[in-house]
Amino acid sequence: MKHVGSSRAWRPVRPRSAPGLGLGALSALVFNLCLLLLPAAGASAFFVVSRDQLYAYELSPAGQRAVRHRVERLAGDLIQLDFDRHQQWDDLVAMQLMNNDVAAARGFLLSARRMLPPQDANQLDHRVRADAPDAEIELAALDLLTPGTRARYEAIVPLLARRSASGAGDRLEPGRFTVLGDQRDFEILAQAVLQQSEGDPVHFVLTGLGLGLGGDFTPRMAAGASALIVSSRRQDYPSALGQEIRALVGSAVSAERFRSEALRLANGADAAAYPNAAAAFRAAVAPSQMAALKSALDQIGAMGNATSTAGASVLLTHARNLRDIPRLRLVAQAAGDRAIAVAKGVARDGALAVAARGELTFSRDLTTLIGIAGLALAALFVFAGLAIMHLARRAWAHFAEDPDGGELVESFRGAWTPL
């Protein structure tokens, strides 16, 4: 027996590169780039919206109606038992009258369409049209109150129809007041800041603004500052909002710089004396942060103008953060007394602020970023689809070469071979 051998030495066989390997690597590179570009463009778009304040809460007629209807639905949700909605609605109005809360009592009365049972709501719809003014809704809803509650309402609450007929304006606001303090109050608060004792730095800064130490301070800003102080003294004042307000106030007027300037200017005299403390206050103001603080106070003041200073203080308890203040301002302007009534009844979980939805203005920068994000997303879908198709083709090829399934594939191909 002869041994047959090979005279050639063994050499490793190098696999040939697949023809689509370069294209696959390029596709993977583009896919990864799009995967990074999509969140980057989205984050940049969010930054542009915040920087240019493109998402604004402006009051339009259609938006006002929509916000008002959402607030009325929240008022209707306050009645959780359907067995006697009419009596529960009447009790809510009577309770606010007993508390001498005119705004909340009127707010529940104006929300009758959503709070009453269907038959009473239909009766109200037949008497007044859907876009009727509040004065007509108030008069129509009065007839649905029990005689005792109606008599008490007419005795306590100034009817909107009577005020309109007398030319007294749309709103009588007994709750407007100011709690900012005078020069003596400013000195007391300044002394607490200088001693770093248990003082109220927010009240100190707002009192200084009310005295004109931080530049122009409009009456609406003063009303907003008063509402903020009143709200901060409530037990239900949100802690998260309080922290953001303190941070904003602290950046607008630095307490450390105020102390150093007051001690430097006093030169051994009374550093908390008004002339000295006022000069130190002006030196401690940071203009850009002060503008942001004044803008927030102006928003709160607008809430007070739409309701009352006391009403704005109640609405502020529903603000989870500073971003909710423009939303609540829109709620106050759109719903008025309805917002006050709902604010006293619903849970402080942000539902009242969510009732307001702003409008986004598309600038050129924002449109460009959205376009880039859209192209990146479309490219991701395309490359993902191509990858799936490629995997499907490879699976089909392996299935065709499989000995166990080859005949089935060939018969399938033959069945679809054109004649």
Side-chain angles (χ1 to χ4, degrees):
M1 179 182 295
K2 293 183 179 180
H3 176 72
V4 180
S6 174
S7 61
R8 292 182 301 176
W10 177 83
R11 295 178 181 178
V13 179
R14 297 180 179 178
R16 295 181 180 180
S17 59
L21 185 59
L23 181 59
L26 180 61
S27 300
L29 177 62
V30 175
F31 181 85
N32 291 330
L33 289 177
C34 292
L35 199 61
L36 295 176
L37 184 61
L38 179 60
S44 300
F46 180 79
F47 172 76
V48 169
V49 172
S50 302
R51 182 195 65 188
D52 299 339
Q53 297 181 353
L54 299 179
Y55 195 78
Y57 294 90
E58 300 298 335
L59 194 64
S60 62
Q64 182 177 11
R65 289 191 297 270
V67 172
R68 183 184 300 164
H69 291 161
R70 295 187 196 113
V71 173
E72 289 180 355
R73 281 198 296 269
L74 290 175
D77 293 339
L78 294 177
I79 301 179
Q80 299 180 356
L81 302 177
D82 291 333
F83 69 92
D84 196 354
R85 296 182 66 91
H86 188 284
Q87 185 60 48
Q88 294 178 69
W89 168 72
D90 189 277
D91 291 341
L92 284 172
V93 176
M95 184 182 302
Q96 302 307 320
L97 293 175
M98 291 178 61
N99 296 331
N100 203 28
D101 193 333
V102 172
R106 182 187 289 121
F108 283 130
L109 195 73
L110 295 177
S111 303
R113 278 194 177 98
R114 299 288 181 175
M115 302 182 72
L116 290 172
Q119 61 272 20
D120 293 328
N122 292 335
Q123 180 182 350
L124 190 60
D125 288 335
H126 287 312
R127 297 188 57 183
V128 293
R129 62 184 188 276
D131 58 345
D134 288 348
E136 295 183 14
I137 299 175
E138 183 183 33
L139 289 177
L142 271 176
D143 294 337
L144 300 177
L145 291 174
T146 58
T149 305
R150 174 174 179 171
R152 187 173 180 83
Y153 187 97
E154 292 178 330
I156 296 177
V157 181
L159 297 181
L160 297 175
R162 294 176 185 172
R163 282 170 28 199
S164 300
S166 63
D170 292 336
R171 175 169 292 278
L172 183 64
E173 194 173 341
R176 184 166 296 283
F177 53 92
T178 179
V179 292
L180 296 183
D182 54 13
Q183 294 184 6
R184 178 56 183 163
D185 297 321
F186 181 76
E187 291 178 348
I188 296 173
L189 293 168
Q191 185 66 38
V193 174
L194 290 172
Q195 295 177 355
Q196 302 186 32
S197 60
E198 290 295 330
D200 188 353
V202 174
H203 197 175
F204 166 68
V205 172
L206 296 182
T207 300
L209 294 179
L211 294 172
L213 304 181
D216 294 335
F217 201 60
T218 64
R220 194 162 84 171
M221 295 177 187
S226 297
L228 178 60
I229 292 174
V230 173
S231 183
S232 64
R233 295 171 178 170
R234 295 174 57 100
Q235 293 183 351
D236 51 3
Y237 182 66
S239 58
L241 175 65
Q243 292 175 2
E244 292 194 15
I245 290 291
R246 285 192 294 272
L248 180 59
V249 169
S251 63
V253 179
S254 172
E256 290 77 7
R257 186 173 181 184
F258 168 77
R259 281 192 288 267
S260 62
E261 288 292 329
L263 295 174
R264 182 183 65 83
L265 294 173
N267 195 20
D270 185 8
Y274 179 75
N276 186 79
F281 187 96
R282 293 189 181 97
V285 170
S288 59
Q289 287 80 4
M290 179 58 71
L293 175 59
K294 288 182 178 180
S295 175
L297 295 176
D298 186 72
Q299 296 274 354
I300 300 173
M303 293 162 52
N305 288 346
T307 55
S308 66
T309 303
S313 68
V314 176
L315 289 173
L316 275 179
T317 63
H318 289 265
R320 297 161 297 179
N321 45 52
L322 287 172
R323 293 189 299 274
D324 279 346
I325 291 180
R327 297 185 177 98
L328 291 171
R329 186 261 304 168
L330 185 59
V331 168
Q333 291 176 333
D337 292 330
R338 297 173 177 85
I340 303 301
V342 171
K344 296 189 67 176
V346 300
R348 286 160 177 80
D349 55 359
L352 185 58
V354 173
R357 299 169 188 170
E359 295 182 357
L360 182 63
T361 302
F362 289 89
S363 64
R364 183 173 62 181
D365 293 341
L366 180 61
T367 304
T368 301
L369 291 171
I370 292 177
I372 293 174
L375 290 176
L377 183 62
L380 288 176
F381 279 117
V382 169
F383 283 110
L386 292 176
I388 293 174
M389 291 177 59
H390 178 67
L391 292 175
R393 291 177 59 187
R394 292 186 61 183
W396 177 264
H398 283 295
F399 181 73
E401 295 175 357
D402 184 70
D404 296 332
E407 295 181 0
L408 178 62
V409 172
E410 291 297 331
S411 62
F412 178 82
R413 288 177 178 173
W416 288 94
T417 302
L419 298 176

